Amino acid sequence: KCLIMQLTGNHVVEASPAKVWALLMDTDTLARIVPGVTKLEKIDDTTFKSTLGVKLGPVSAAFNGNLQMENVMEEKGFTLKIQQNSKVGNASAAIEISLTPLEETKTAIAFNGDVKLSGMLATMGQRLIGGVANTLSKQFFSNMEKELLP
């Protein structure tokens, strides 16, 4: 069984696209702002090995896998390809992330993509997984804003 879920949203941060871009391109910072990341290891400029711990309702899962950046356009955006495996199932995604300058010190960050879940994860249902996805994206932007504080 496979569950495909749309992941979409946007958020405005008080920082220039250059500052946001620098944050997203820094491995240590990225490890701090992405919820659930316990380890992020840079393989090359666009590939990372990752370990994530995520709580999905009653189930806590440890995921191991890769993150890959494709179609990288400096200060404009990239596509994040994710492949994560765990005992409770696998998750793969392709998420387009774009940065749009609103003013010199404001940037709109938008994300849009599909997440494919298999195994026990797929049987947990759209509502539970959707709620977790919304919570994780809110945490991501909240963590990012803390990093952007002077």
Side-chain angles (χ1 to χ4, degrees), residues 5 56 125-138:
M5 199 176 80
L56 303 158
Q126 184 98 25
R127 192 179 300 151
L128 173 66
I129 301 288
V132 170
N134 285 340
T135 302
L136 294 178
S137 55
K138 280 183 187 139

Side-chain angles (χ1 to χ4, degrees), residues 35-72:
V37 168
T38 50
K39 192 174 164 198
L40 192 61
E41 191 186 323
K42 195 170 187 166
I43 306 295
D44 60 38
D45 281 350
T46 58
T47 313
F48 304 85
K49 254 187 151 85
S50 63
T51 306
L52 298 140
V54 181
K55 194 163 170 43
L56 303 158
V59 180
S60 286
F63 290 89
N64 290 298
N66 294 317
L67 303 177
Q68 179 113 26
M69 289 180 189
E70 293 182 353
N71 310 320
V72 177

Side-chain angles (χ1 to χ4, degrees), residues 11-13 15-20 74-77 98-110:
H11 190 80
V12 175
V13 292
S16 66
K19 195 170 179 182
V20 173
E74 192 156 343
E75 292 183 26
K76 287 187 175 35
S98 63
L99 308 180
T100 307
L102 299 178
E103 294 165 23
E104 269 180 52
T105 59
K106 274 191 182 170
T107 305
I109 304 167

